[in-house]
Structures are given as structure tokens and as C-alpha cells.
Amino acid sequence: MDHFPTNWGRPRNDAFDAYGTHPIHQRPYNGPKDAFADGVQHTQQPIVTGTSVLAIKYKDGIMMAADNLASYGSLARFKDVQRLCPVGQYTVIGAGGDMSDFQYIQHIMEELTIDENSAQDGHELGPVEIHEYMSQVMYARRSKMDPLWNSLIIGGFKDGKRFLSYVDLLGTTYSASTLATGYGSYIAQPLLRKAVEGYEDILTEEDARKVLENSMRVLFYRDARSLNKYQIATITSAGVNISDSLHLETSWSFAEGIRGYGAQTQ
Amino acid sequence: MPDMAALAHPQQRQFNPYSENGGTILAIAGADFSVIAGDTRQSEGYSIQTRYAPKVFRLTDRAVLAVNGFAADGNMFVKKVKQRLEWYRHAHAKDMPLRAIARLIQTMLYARRFFPYYVYNILGGIEEDGTGAVYSFDPVGSYEREACRAAGAASSLVQPFLDNQIYFKNQRPAAGTSHPAHLPLPTVLSIVIDSFTSATERHIEVGDGLEMYVVLAKGRTLQGLEGIRGMQELTATEDGERVFIVRRDLKRD
């Protein structure tokens, strides 16, 4: 028995009245409902995204690079975004993926550093601790089926030791002497490995900078979600240094000589 | 009115909390020793993430655990097992026996029956009676004690080889002789190395490095291990079982 008189004499379901000849806007719904359906919103997909982050070990420490673009799908939406962020005195986090989730991560890191600093217990957070903390956060969020949609590279230098490690939205972690996220893992990683593996203690700052600049240029040529404006971070015994935005020199004249992709008379 | 079709069929969430990170692990039990090994490559799809990510971990002087599958789950699981073993040490002032660790692992895996750790575990070490033992697990905790087991990406290549070389399946002993019940340590180590070089040849997710842990029963001499290149002792306590690690390079292509 339907106890709501407004329903009487009306189709029970939209399916019986596909063209909406009965006014249905105010009619109460008495069917089964899922009270939690709209209650919790989880990140199901990234919205405003950053692309690759690159990082390598070199003689004096760690060098990282990321461009300044945050894309909205294929739209180059924000072109002055910093994706390399210092945490404490010894660490830099570089982020690809959802930029709002990254801002939240920066917020967590700020709270953490304030808490640790307030303790004044003579301990300081190094890259090892920050990476462990972030990997636990990322793994906990994936386990709640509510991931922070990022790939993070965490690089640092403390007590004479270099540290370079990765963590992503699944909580997967690993470290190596060269790391790259996103498209960079396909395009830049082979270039980085060739230049760095086995030369970690030989590569000078100048060499390292050249390797990263060249990889960023190749990425700009091939990754449609990248920008020719980027920053480089170094983490050495001297501390953290994140550069101002740099501009990539590119040359497109070779395009003239390409034959075979499109309509050409000759 | 809510969309009736949507209520009848709950929406599918598209986030997949699992991944597969390749690699292979393997363990073989001897009469008074146990060998637990794994390669060190970590990959996702066709990309090598790193050439060195250990999959085999020393738990105590008599127990070594190898984990393979989804690396994030694997690392978390090992972390939690180590934590439980530390609590046991504080409560009972001794290391947990191997068969107890095996049951602990089964309970911990089954506790996550409805959101499993996507990990295959192989536990190797020395039992309280001094025999070498291998326990193998599936992701939700089914387990058994065996003489040998391979798991992971190349398990389908390695396990049949072990069945033949360890259990002597499809082999007939020469007239008037019988197959040995247990193989000596040097033989086992060569079988392990051969398994991984072969798996490296034929499986793209296996390679880069090999880590072999050797656990020796209490009072057993190093006999058969003297000549091994690059062996390193990891034993923490005196007068008990001893743990060693042997590292080898595998092809990186």
C-alpha cells in the first residue's frame, strides 16, 4: 500500500512515462535508498595534473627537475606552478599527478615540520624519515580506497648521505640512482640511466644539470602535457636550493626536413 | 527520484588498489639447513622501477621470509610480521619458533581475507628439532610445510625444474641405488643459482641481482660453504642457528 496520496493514480516509475507527461518534480520517493551513496566522495581520478618529475644522484648530492605546468586535461591551465617543494632543511619533494592532492601533501608536511620543530628535542627530520612517513600516508589512503593521486620523488642529503626514493598512489616504494615519474619514466629514464648509472660519484653539478636539462628538453618535444619552463632543485651538504624558473632552448627547424608523416608534394 | 538502474547495479569504483611488481622467489630445505632466495628487480608492466629492491628478509637467526607479488603490500606485511616478532621477543625473552611464525603468518594473512595482501610468502629456516624447513603460503593464508617451493612471475618455469631436481620427479635411480632424501648444501646452492639464471633468460620480469639467504642449524659447521664468493654472516646471537647472505649479479636486460 502506498501511503502517499500524491502518488495515487500516477505511474510508479519514470519508465512508464518516459516523456514526463505527469509532473513528477515534488513527488516523494519511497523506494529503497542508499543512505551512504552521496555521503563520501573519494578521489576517483586526477583533475588538475602535473607531468614528469626527474631526479638523479650526482657527486655532491641529489638533483631534481620538474616543469611549471599544471594541466586540466589537455588544457595547459596553470603555467606557474611549483612542483618541487622543500621540506625541512634536508629534503625536497617533487610531485606528479593531482595538484590539489599535492597541495594537501604540502599542508601535511608543513604541519609535520612545525610539530617536529616545536618538540626541540635535538632531532631533525631527514629525507629517510619523510619518505617513510609519506609512504605510510600514501599506503593508508590507498587502503581506504581514497588515494592521494600522486607520484612523489623524495630526494635529500643528510649526515653526508644522499637519499633518493619514490612513492606513488598505491604506496609502492623504491629507490635507485635515477628516478622519473609519469612520461619521464618512459622517455627520460633510459637517458638518465645511461648518463648516471655507475657515475654517481663522478658526475659534477655541471654534468648533472646538463643531463637533466637535456632530458627535460626531450620531454618537452615529446610529452604533450609538458612545458618549456621548469625548475631544478639541488640538495647537497650546503642544503636545499630550488632555482627560479628556467627556460628551455628548443629548435624546431628539423621539422622542415621531416618527410612521410603528412601531405607533401615532394 | 534516484536513478532506479543505478540502485539496482551499484556503481563500480575504478580505482584499482593492487599492482603486480614481478620478480621470483624460491626456497629449498635441506636436512640441517635452508636456502631462501629472490631476485632484486622490481618492475611494473614493461618498466623496471629499480634494479635493487630486496624481496627476502631475515626475521630471526632461524627464520627468513621471502615475499612476492604487490610490492607495497609485501613491504607492509613484512613490517607487521617483524613487529609481531619483536613483541613476542619482549614478552617471552626468546625468538619465536619457525612453526609458530608460520601459523602467525597464516593468521595475519587470513585476517585480511576480504581485502587480501596480494603477496605470495615463502618462509624458510630451521625448525626446533634442528631440521631445515620451508613453509609456503597463498595470499589468503593457506599454507603447508614442504621441501622446496618457487613463487612469483617465473614460478611456472622454476617449480617444474625443482620438482625434477629436488623431488627427482620423472627420474629413475640407477639400478641398485636410490635417490637421496636430502641434497648437500653446495648442490642446493648451484640449483638455486641455475634456477635464477634460467628464469632471467626466459622471463622479462626476472633479473638484475640475486640474494640467497642460507640458514644453518645449531652446531652445523660451515662445511660446503667455505669456497662461496661474497658470503656475509648476518647472525645476531651466539651459539644458535646462523644466517648468511650470498649476493650474485644476474643479467640486466
Side-chain angles (χ1 to χ4, degrees):
Chain A
M1 169 74 192
D2 189 342
H3 300 277
F4 292 86
T6 47
N7 286 350
W8 297 349
R10 298 216 164 111
R12 268 167 287 182
N13 192 306
D14 278 348
F16 292 99
D17 187 20
Y19 298 96
T21 54
H22 287 273
I24 57 170
H25 50 277
Q26 286 287 304
R27 200 186 324 154
Y29 168 70
N30 307 310
K33 52 188 163 220
D34 180 2
F36 298 101
D38 302 321
V40 188
Q41 283 283 329
H42 290 315
T43 303
Q44 295 306 321
Q45 51 175 325
I47 307 297
V48 176
T49 58
T51 182
S52 320
V53 183
L54 310 181
I56 57 175
K57 285 185 180 172
Y58 73 104
K59 191 161 70 76
D60 308 326
I62 302 294
M63 194 177 285
M64 298 171 64
D67 67 27
N68 287 311
L69 179 66
S71 308
Y72 179 72
S74 58
L75 174 71
R77 181 65 181 83
F78 303 104
K79 299 170 89 163
D80 191 22
V81 170
Q82 302 209 9
R83 299 197 290 120
L84 299 173
C85 137
V87 179
Q89 295 186 65
Y90 309 101
T91 313
V92 170
I93 297 185
D98 191 281
M99 287 296 107
S100 64
D101 282 352
F102 179 50
Q103 288 185 351
Y104 171 68
I105 288 167
Q106 287 176 288
H107 175 78
I108 295 175
M109 295 289 62
E110 198 168 309
E111 270 189 350
L112 181 69
T113 41
I114 290 171
D115 281 359
E116 290 295 319
N117 194 243
S118 312
Q120 286 292 315
D121 54 5
H123 294 287
E124 292 171 297
L125 287 187
V128 181
E129 292 77 25
I130 286 165
H131 176 260
E132 180 66 22
Y133 188 98
M134 271 321 299
S135 46
Q136 295 299 314
V137 169
M138 299 297 273
Y139 184 80
R141 288 293 294 263
R142 87 97 214 190
S143 298
K144 290 180 190 168
M145 294 294 277
D146 185 15
L148 294 172
W149 214 287
N150 298 102
S151 307
L152 306 174
I153 289 180
I154 295 164
F157 191 98
K158 187 169 185 267
D159 303 330
K161 284 202 186 80
R162 294 172 294 192
F163 178 86
L164 187 55
S165 207
Y166 169 99
V167 60
D168 66 14
L169 72 167
L170 291 173
T172 306
T173 57
Y174 50 89
S175 42
S177 50
T178 64
L179 290 177
T181 71
Y183 249 89
S185 69
Y186 303 111
I187 293 174
Q189 183 72 291
L191 303 169
L192 298 178
R193 284 189 182 152
K194 193 171 180 184
V196 175
E197 272 186 5
Y199 307 106
E200 292 91 345
D201 300 322
I202 301 164
L203 227 58
T204 63
E205 172 160 348
E206 194 189 355
D207 296 334
R209 203 173 284 275
K210 222 176 265 174
V211 168
L212 282 186
E213 189 196 295
N214 190 246
S215 301
M216 290 303 283
R217 179 167 25 247
V218 174
L219 277 171
F220 178 59
Y221 280 135
R222 285 294 172 180
D223 177 4
R225 274 74 177 122
S226 69
L227 196 65
N228 55 353
K229 191 178 152 196
Y230 70 108
Q231 285 172 292
I232 281 191
T234 58
I235 312 100
T236 61
S237 55
V240 170
N241 178 62
I242 298 179
S243 74
D244 292 334
S245 288
L246 307 166
H247 199 84
L248 279 171
E249 293 304 321
T250 45
S251 125
W252 299 92
S253 53
F254 66 90
E256 294 278 317
I258 294 179
R259 287 288 175 275
Y261 288 113
Q264 276 126 21
T265 46
Q266 194 62 22
Chain B
M1 185 192 288
D3 181 14
M4 300 298 279
L7 280 174
H9 307 281
Q11 283 166 289
Q12 189 69 49
R13 295 205 188 286
Q14 52 121 71
F15 171 64
N16 177 194
Y18 293 113
S19 177
E20 179 88 57
N21 296 107
T24 277
I25 52 172
L26 130 70
I28 300 172
D32 54 1
F33 66 88
S34 196
V35 178
I36 306 93
D39 70 326
T40 64
R41 175 177 292 180
Q42 190 177 106
S43 59
E44 191 172 26
Y46 289 129
S47 301
I48 296 173
Q49 293 180 321
T50 177
R51 301 190 189 281
Y52 186 70
K55 281 192 276 290
V56 193
F57 302 90
R58 192 196 76 100
L59 297 178
T60 67
D61 277 344
R62 64 169 84 106
V64 173
L65 181 62
V67 290
N68 194 229
F70 173 35
D73 271 354
N75 290 330
M76 180 53 75
F77 187 71
V78 169
K79 195 186 179 108
K80 300 226 158 182
V81 171
K82 281 183 170 172
Q83 190 173 52
R84 292 291 294 267
L85 293 178
E86 186 176 335
W87 291 343
Y88 183 96
R89 211 153 32 234
H90 291 319
H92 299 103
K94 63 164 192 165
D95 281 333
M96 192 185 281
L98 192 71
R99 60 186 219 99
I101 299 177
R103 179 60 70 86
L104 173 72
I105 287 173
Q106 106 100 186
T107 319
M108 291 175 67
L109 288 170
Y110 195 80
R112 288 279 296 265
R113 176 61 180 79
F114 299 108
F115 187 15
Y117 288 111
Y118 194 68
V119 169
Y120 287 88
N121 283 283
I122 299 177
L123 176 70
I126 302 297
E127 213 67 90
E128 276 180 310
D129 64 4
T131 58
V134 164
Y135 289 91
S136 68
F137 302 79
D138 83 348
V140 291
S142 311
Y143 79 114
E144 62 175 336
R145 187 181 164 179
E146 294 175 297
C148 76
R149 170 62 71 182
S155 62
S156 56
L157 281 70
V158 176
Q159 188 67 52
F161 175 66
L162 295 181
D163 289 343
N164 180 249
Q165 291 293 307
I166 307 292
Y167 292 124
F168 299 106
K169 290 285 167 64
N170 299 99
Q171 281 193 261
R172 209 191 296 275
T177 63
S178 63
H179 292 309
H182 291 289
L183 293 172
L185 182 48
T187 314
V188 167
L189 280 176
S190 338
I191 288 174
V192 170
I193 293 170
D194 286 351
S195 300
F196 277 95
T197 43
S198 305
T200 303
E201 284 294 328
R202 284 292 184 170
H203 201 115
I204 56 169
E205 292 171 6
V206 181
D208 292 332
L210 169 59
E211 284 190 334
M212 292 174 287
Y213 283 71
V214 181
V215 192
L216 299 183
K218 201 180 298 186
R220 188 194 194 278
T221 59
L222 237 63
Q223 190 231 326
L225 269 179
E226 301 89 351
I228 298 292
R229 171 166 52 90
M231 190 178 65
Q232 196 190 327
E233 180 154 9
L234 304 172
T235 317
T237 57
E238 297 281 307
D239 311 322
E241 293 80 1
R242 300 173 73 184
V243 194
F244 301 84
I245 183 170
V246 183
R247 291 198 174 87
R248 284 293 146 86
D249 284 334
L250 291 173
K251 285 172 73 175
R252 292 148 65 91
D253 55 7

